[in-house]
Amino acid sequence: MSSQDVLQDASTLASYNVLLQVMFRALTFVMNAFTLRFVSKELIGVVNVRLMLLYSTLVFLSREAFRRACLSGGSGPGRSWRQTLNLLWLTLPLGVLWGSLLVCVWLWLLEAPDPQAVPHYGPAVGVFALASLVELLGEPLWVLAQAHLLVRLKLGAESLALGAKCLFTVGLVVLAPQGGLYIFSAAQLVYTGCLVLCYLVYFVRFVGSEEANRKGFPIKTVGELLPRSAPGEPAVDWALARLTWSFFKQSFLKQLLTEGERYVMTFLSVLSFGDQGVYDIVNNLGSMVARFLFLPIEESFYVFFSKVLRRGGDARSQKQEDVPVAAEVLESLLKLVVVVGLVITVFGYAYSHLALDLYGGALLSAGAGPVLLRVYSGYVLLLAVNGITECFVFAAMSQEELDRYNGVMLALSVSFLLLSYLLTGWLGSVGFILANCLNMALRILHSLLYIKRYFQASPWGPLRGLLPSPALLLALALSAVVTALSESMFCCSSGWPLRLVHVAVGAVCLSGVLLTVLLTETRLVAFVRTQLRPGTRGKRT
């Protein structure tokens, strides 16, 4: 498969992933806004911080390293999928081990919430751990689908699972609000069960079909999806297992960085459960664009870079026809996330208070909520750039470089936890976001240095994507000033007519910024049109 074909498939995957995440976030957004009217902020803090941290930690530590390693090297005919699937099935026993340890920590080492305010904490911990193990059952199928770019499967499976979870949650919150944690625990189990069932049904029907044979799918019978051995061959590919171990050490540290503020809140009790609930809601609002746009692009183009580039070396050691494609794609991705991140930063400052007031009323708009969302709007820019730079770096690094990078991640993890604790004691919840900003900036710096060295001996300079046009920067600066003045004059305590004036001012400024993008960032516009729209054919940017 040529680099252009891989680019086409990765672009299609990114487009459908973005669509999926838009739907996911929209449904979650509506569901949270609805349930805020029926449950306490303490319950939200326990579910969204304490229990979801258990779920994400167990799942991430059990599967992330396997995902990264098993998606490296593509899905060509020289690959032994029997050995790869055997390796992937190890995620389940590993999940059982992690689950046993984490459940003990969550039940007996951490402070339990007040049973009068948030009852049923113990059973909820067990059900969330069980939901994590159920999701791990589908991991081999997920990797198969991702490696063979079965984009509609992921879209359909996660859509159905999310819809079932939302309907289940909203229905029980309305009909039996006294259920408390039982509702959210059962809803999580419904989500993971539906997700795995969708993948299972699809592959039972797909494996051995004419479509599978036409696509050259390597699995011929459903039994081949299960762990199995072959005479004269090792059960797993040991080179892939060693790469998995390298990613495992890295993923452990990456999890600390990704969920660091929740670990600090959970283990050091720097905020009450109610304050944790407010912080989590603001955090989810602030990260909506990052999660439904940036994360799917990062995941999909990691597949592209890992297939096009050979690990280790630099641009000179790659197939020379692939280097321009990789460089141009990286440059366009950087330009895309920088432009979107700057727009979010500028308009997030002036519209945070209004957004929180509309979403949760005085519960969110009073106090530190607007300040939290404004600071988070700036953090989104760093989050976006780091996602793309690390996407490339992790696909290009050799195993030895990944091992060395683990030391960098360890230092960043320790510094992040220390900064979070110190800044939170000084600035409250805002300290978490500032600590994230500092650590994200250091990670970006490390990745930029690697990318610069990688392309140093080639005529390609993808880091130019970090610099928007001067006209666009001017349009953003004017929009920042105008919208800030509009907020001080029209929002948000003078009634709806003046609020609508403030919204209209923002719409005019945003239209001006988008028009400037269309006129001055023509290569970026062409990239989005050809690579990030479902149904388009991948072309060189």
Side-chain angles (χ1 to χ4, degrees):
M1 183 179 287
S2 70
S3 58
Q4 287 295 331
D5 291 332
V6 175
L7 174 57
Q8 176 195 350
D9 290 340
S11 301
T12 303
L13 179 60
S15 302
Y16 281 109
N17 277 345
V18 169
L19 178 63
L20 172 64
Q21 291 297 323
V22 168
M23 183 193 63
F24 181 91
R25 287 292 143 192
L27 281 174
T28 305
F29 183 86
V30 173
M31 186 182 73
N32 286 341
F34 182 81
T35 54
L36 276 174
R37 274 69 180 173
F38 292 89
V39 300
S40 66
K41 60 182 181 180
E42 286 77 16
L43 179 62
I44 293 174
V46 173
V47 172
N48 289 357
V49 177
R50 175 71 66 86
L51 295 177
M52 286 305 296
L53 180 64
L54 169 65
Y55 171 81
S56 66
T57 301
L58 202 166
V59 169
F60 191 91
L61 293 181
S62 300
R63 77 182 182 192
E64 179 67 14
F66 292 88
R67 281 189 172 185
R68 290 282 186 179
C70 293
L71 286 173
S72 299
S75 55
R79 179 172 200 164
S80 171
W81 276 102
R82 181 190 61 78
Q83 293 177 322
T84 301
L85 289 173
N86 286 346
L87 186 64
L88 285 168
W89 278 111
L90 293 177
T91 56
L92 186 59
L94 183 61
V96 173
L97 291 175
W98 276 118
S100 301
L101 174 63
L102 293 173
V103 165
C104 292
V105 172
W106 256 246
L107 287 179
W108 295 307
L109 294 185
L110 297 180
E111 178 187 0
D114 181 3
Q116 299 299 320
V118 186
H120 319 307
Y121 173 71
V125 169
V127 175
F128 265 82
L130 177 61
S132 304
L133 298 179
V134 170
E135 184 163 347
L136 292 177
L137 284 171
E139 189 60 21
L141 305 181
W142 185 94
V143 171
L144 267 177
Q146 194 81 352
H148 292 87
L149 300 170
L150 302 176
V151 292
R152 290 177 178 81
L153 169 58
K154 181 177 181 181
L155 177 65
E158 297 201 16
S159 301
L160 290 173
L162 177 63
K165 178 182 177 180
C166 288
L167 290 174
F168 188 88
T169 303
V170 171
L172 286 187
V173 163
V174 173
L175 298 176
Q178 69 278 6
L181 288 179
Y182 281 142
I183 296 174
F184 294 93
S185 303
Q188 191 65 24
L189 193 57
V190 166
Y191 171 78
T192 57
C194 287
L195 188 64
V196 173
L197 183 61
C198 287
Y199 274 91
L200 181 60
V201 170
Y202 179 89
F203 276 104
V204 167
R205 295 171 61 88
F206 178 73
V207 170
S209 66
E210 291 184 6
E211 181 185 1
N213 295 331
R214 188 172 62 252
K215 292 182 176 180
F217 193 67
I219 308 299
K220 303 304 179 184
T221 65
V222 174
E224 293 180 23
L225 295 171
L226 300 174
R228 58 197 176 89
S229 60
E233 280 189 17
V236 299
D237 182 341
W238 290 108
L240 199 60
R242 287 191 293 271
L243 183 60
T244 302
W245 174 243
S246 296
F247 276 121
F248 175 77
K249 292 182 288 186
Q250 186 186 99
S251 65
F252 184 79
L253 300 173
K254 186 177 180 180
Q255 177 69 0
L256 281 178
L257 289 173
T258 304
E259 301 280 12
E261 68 271 15
R262 285 179 169 80
Y263 287 116
V264 173
M265 282 189 280
T266 297
F267 286 91
L268 300 180
S269 301
V270 293
L271 297 176
S272 67
F273 284 112
D275 291 338
Q276 290 179 29
V278 172
Y279 173 84
D280 184 76
I281 293 169
V282 172
N283 180 64
N284 285 334
L285 284 173
S287 64
M288 278 184 68
V289 175
R291 293 183 181 181
F292 78 64
L293 177 61
F294 300 142
L295 184 59
I297 291 175
E298 175 190 345
E299 290 179 345
S300 301
F301 281 93
Y302 173 79
V303 176
F304 165 73
F305 289 126
S306 65
K307 288 186 175 183
V308 169
L309 303 176
R310 292 193 299 267
R311 290 190 175 275
D314 56 18
R316 292 173 298 181
S317 63
Q318 306 294 329
K319 293 180 181 178
Q320 290 308 298
E321 65 270 20
D322 291 341
V323 174
V325 179
E328 291 176 10
V329 168
L330 178 58
E331 180 180 347
S332 297
L333 290 174
L334 287 173
K335 179 66 67 70
L336 174 65
V337 298
V338 166
V339 169
V340 175
L342 285 172
V343 170
I344 293 170
T345 300
V346 167
F347 290 91
Y349 181 86
Y351 291 88
S352 293
H353 190 284
L354 179 60
L356 290 177
D357 194 56
L358 292 174
Y359 187 63
L363 175 69
L364 299 180
S365 62
V371 176
L372 278 173
L373 192 53
R374 285 175 182 139
V375 177
Y376 204 100
S377 299
Y379 172 57
V380 166
L381 174 60
L382 297 175
L383 197 66
V385 174
N386 178 72
I388 296 302
T389 54
E390 285 195 347
C391 161
F392 178 86
V393 168
F394 289 161
M397 277 183 171
S398 66
Q399 182 177 332
E400 292 74 20
E401 289 172 321
L402 286 170
D403 288 336
R404 288 197 299 270
Y405 187 59
N406 289 335
V408 176
M409 295 286 279
L410 176 60
L412 289 173
S413 300
V414 173
S415 65
F416 171 75
L417 295 175
L418 181 61
L419 277 172
S420 295
Y421 182 71
L422 294 176
L423 292 177
T424 304
W426 181 30
L427 299 171
S429 302
V430 176
F432 283 123
I433 304 175
L434 293 178
N436 269 311
C437 289
L438 292 172
N439 275 274
M440 201 62 67
L442 292 175
R443 289 169 66 178
I444 291 171
L445 178 61
H446 178 275
S447 297
L448 293 182
L449 292 174
Y450 181 91
I451 294 171
K452 183 179 180 181
R453 289 195 304 270
Y454 191 91
F455 289 98
Q456 195 166 23
S458 76
W460 304 97
L463 295 184
R464 290 191 300 264
L466 293 170
L467 300 174
S469 66
L472 178 57
L473 291 175
L474 178 60
L476 288 166
L478 290 175
S479 296
V481 173
V482 171
T483 54
L485 289 174
S486 173
E487 182 184 35
S488 65
M489 295 172 60
F490 304 122
C491 192
C492 288
S493 58
S494 302
W496 271 105
L498 292 182
R499 287 186 179 191
L500 292 176
V501 172
H502 181 48
V503 172
V505 170
V508 171
C509 290
L510 181 59
S511 299
V513 169
L514 294 178
L515 180 61
T516 306
V517 171
L518 291 174
L519 295 176
T520 64
E521 300 291 355
T522 53
R523 291 183 64 193
L524 172 62
V525 174
F527 176 80
V528 172
R529 284 175 175 171
T530 58
Q531 305 300 345
L532 294 180
R533 290 173 58 190
T536 56
R537 172 117 185 128
K539 302 176 184 178
R540 288 198 182 200
T541 54

